[in-house]
Amino acid sequence: MSRLIAVSNRVADPSTGKTAGGLAIGLLAALRKQGGVWFGWGGKTCRGEPTDPTVTRRGKVSYATVDIDETEFEDYYNGYSNGCLWPLCHYMLNFFHYERRFGQAYQRVNALFARKLRPMLQADDVIWAHDYHLIPLAGELRKAGVENPIGFFLHVPFPNIDVLRTLPGHRRILEMLTRYDVIGFQTSSDVRSFIEGLARVGFLEARLGYDRFRACGREFTAAAFPIGIDVPGVMQMADRSVTSATVKRVEDGLVGRELVIGVDRLDYSKGLPERFRAFGELLTSYPDTRGRLVFMQIAPPTRSGVRAYQDIREELEQLAGNINGRFAEPDWAPIRYLNRGFSRSMLMGMFRVARIGLVTPLRDGMNLVAKEFIAAQDPDDPGALILSSLAGAAEELDAAVIVNPYDTEGVAEAIQRAANMPLGERQERYRTMMAQLQINDIGAWTDRFLGALEAVRAQSSSGTPTITA
Ligand code: ADQ
């Protein structure tokens, strides 16, 4: 079996295996099975050319991390990745801020990754790069003579060409993606946007089969690989932590009221101000919900180096204050806004005690919280999920209560509906969604992607028929 070389902006902590969420679980399982290397930025900046990677070996897996020069990092990470690509991919152009030097640093950091990774590669390795920080990586590795199969998975949405072309140099983004052998997206609509983008700029040369294409002189697979979760892992965590002191305190604090929960990174794409307003609207339009529901939003700050992230934090504090000021009673406050993170196991326990999960991003590649919320429920008395139609997860979880996150009254109505949903309906929706989560769990996701990457090796030696695009 080939070694797997996983590349991502951040690498899991080798001593604990910890990173944010489900991706690490899936990647680590594949790495442990096949043996390999997890390569990326180690979380530290330096001045000037970084030294060689720091390598920590744990069993069959090596964790290799590099430092990045501090100015380069600012332009590559805050400037280009999170100031240009993130808002662009989430269709939020009001947050888009471009400067040429951002794009140059982005290219150079990818070249640095390729330079430092190259000496670690062996002939049979398969390489799997993750997310929008690393679009140019395959091109840089190819320039250095690497011919191994290289796959790329985009965790965020791929924008329609009419939005993508806002970015100066967007043709280059499309071209750089064609340097990969397998390009994976969260949903079929992302795949369509990518292929349409290639066609519109004149790069698409041929369709070779259902998910095989040729563009910019290279053949590749482009397909949807919706990311899943570790279903039994989440169920166990929820089972165990529901009796923990922290979750018990949350439950006791409700004194019989019902919990509506939101858990997100503090990010403008997650639709948090809109969600707070919808909860305010609920209390205004459906007075019987006052004193009956408590909305707890957990949102630890991220990317605090980007101005927009500081602004949203202030906006949310104000909104929560206003709504609480308007509606609170001496023994009840409608919103609990917690600006901090919790361990995954605590979160799963809190999902278990919640009656409603509120997942209303304005745009999201997938949204694993929606999936985790379902898997954490008590099968006999499950809570209801309210899910944005603009999250990738809505393609699979269509048995949720689907809302448009911009429709304040619609979201308020959905909360009211979910709060009064009969047990039978909750169970039926839960069963439909769980069946889907179990079919496409995190193991199936890594197996499918790596299978597609292995197939490239076979396909490239046998040759395939051509259908003209
Ligand atoms: P994120 O934007 O980070 O991920 P999401 O998928 O919801 O979004 O969350 C990732 C993980 O972080 C989940 O496992 C969740 O439990 C955890 N998490 C979220 N908020 C937390 C909090 N407040 N405290 C502790 N943990 C928290 C990107 C894309 C998504 C895509 C994922 C995976 O933006 O669209 O689903 O990658 O591909």
Side-chain angles (χ1 to χ4, degrees), residues 56-333:
T56 311
R57 209 177 151 87
R58 291 271 183 281
K60 284 159 79 180
V61 185
S62 297
Y63 298 80
T65 56
V66 278
D67 297 344
I68 302 176
D69 170 80
E70 61 187 21
T71 315
E72 286 287 85
F73 178 77
E74 177 61 30
D75 290 350
Y76 144 79
Y77 186 76
N78 290 329
Y80 200 78
S81 300
N82 292 324
C84 295
L85 293 180
W86 178 271
L88 194 76
C89 290
H90 290 86
Y91 293 76
M92 305 191 78
L93 296 179
N94 47 330
F95 295 103
F96 177 80
H97 173 69
Y98 172 83
E99 290 184 36
R100 273 194 182 176
R101 66 188 163 92
F102 296 165
Q104 290 155 356
Y106 179 69
Q107 193 69 39
R108 281 196 300 268
V109 169
N110 274 271
L112 167 80
F113 271 34
R115 205 159 60 242
K116 300 289 183 188
L117 178 60
R118 176 78 188 88
M120 306 178 79
L121 297 177
Q122 297 172 7
D124 286 347
D125 290 345
V126 294
I127 303 164
W128 188 5
H130 288 266
D131 230 357
Y132 58 100
H133 315 84
L134 298 178
I135 293 172
L137 185 72
E140 293 296 338
L141 286 168
R142 301 283 181 223
K143 272 195 238 161
V146 174
E147 287 173 7
N148 306 48
I150 314 180
F152 175 81
F153 183 75
L154 185 69
H155 290 259
V156 298
F158 191 84
N160 179 277
I161 182 66
D162 285 320
V163 171
L164 181 65
R165 67 202 182 95
T166 310
L167 179 70
H170 66 278
R171 291 167 60 91
R172 185 129 178 76
I173 291 285
L174 287 161
E175 188 190 343
M176 285 186 290
L177 282 168
T178 67
R179 298 297 180 254
Y180 285 94
D181 296 300
V182 176
I183 308 146
F185 299 92
Q186 299 275 23
T187 67
S188 51
S189 110
D190 298 316
V191 181
R192 274 196 302 278
S193 296
F194 174 58
I195 299 300
E196 194 201 326
L198 288 173
R200 284 269 295 277
V201 301
F203 287 167
L204 189 65
E205 290 156 13
R207 183 166 194 157
L208 308 169
Y210 175 66
D211 55 9
R212 294 284 297 164
F213 301 88
R214 191 172 65 228
C216 303
R218 289 197 85 260
E219 292 180 8
F220 53 85
T221 298
F225 298 84
I227 191 168
I229 58 164
D230 170 18
V231 178
V234 169
M235 290 170 84
Q236 271 167 22
M237 265 191 260
D239 272 345
R240 257 189 250 129
S241 77
V242 77
T243 52
S244 73
T246 312
V247 177
K248 272 263 158 249
R249 267 211 315 279
V250 171
E251 206 173 8
D252 292 347
L254 293 170
V255 284
R257 300 185 165 109
E258 284 177 329
L259 181 65
V260 180
I261 195 164
V263 172
D264 309 76
R265 282 185 306 100
L266 186 53
D267 192 294
Y268 50 77
S269 68
K270 301 292 182 186
L272 298 175
E274 291 76 5
R275 193 181 300 172
F276 280 30
R277 279 189 212 105
F279 199 76
E281 173 65 30
L282 171 86
L283 301 174
T284 309
S285 299
Y286 305 95
D288 64 309
T289 55
R290 293 181 204 162
R292 198 183 131 201
L293 301 179
V294 173
F295 171 34
M296 183 163 78
Q297 176 65 52
I298 297 173
T302 51
R303 303 176 193 169
S304 34
V306 181
R307 172 82 222 170
Y309 287 75
Q310 299 156 18
D311 294 346
I312 186 173
R313 186 174 171 169
E314 282 164 31
E315 187 184 359
L316 284 176
E317 277 161 14
Q318 263 182 20
L319 272 168
N322 288 348
I323 296 170
N324 280 340
R326 245 178 94 199
F327 294 102
E329 297 289 341
D331 62 343
W332 169 75

Side-chain angles (χ1 to χ4, degrees), residues 3 26 85 91 124 132 167 233 270 337 356-357 363 367 372 381 403 437:
R3 283 196 324 168
L85 293 180
Y91 293 76
D124 286 347
Y132 58 100
L167 179 70
K270 301 292 182 186
Y337 170 43
I356 298 172
R363 198 63 76 153
N367 197 299
E372 290 163 351
D381 185 17
V403 293
L437 294 186

Side-chain angles (χ1 to χ4, degrees), residues 318-388:
Q318 263 182 20
L319 272 168
N322 288 348
I323 296 170
N324 280 340
R326 245 178 94 199
F327 294 102
E329 297 289 341
D331 62 343
W332 169 75
I335 299 189
R336 290 187 198 166
Y337 170 43
L338 308 177
N339 205 219
R340 49 165 288 209
F342 283 87
S343 70
R344 278 177 64 69
S345 104
M346 282 308 131
L347 287 180
M348 302 310 133
M350 292 197 237
F351 287 159
R352 170 66 66 90
V353 298
R355 168 46 48 99
I356 298 172
L358 211 41
V359 182
T360 55
L362 303 180
R363 198 63 76 153
D364 219 326
M366 176 54 62
N367 197 299
L368 294 179
V369 170
K371 295 188 167 185
E372 290 163 351
F373 177 82
I374 292 300
Q377 294 308 301
D378 173 357
D380 295 330
D381 185 17
L385 173 66
I386 297 177
L387 178 61
S388 165

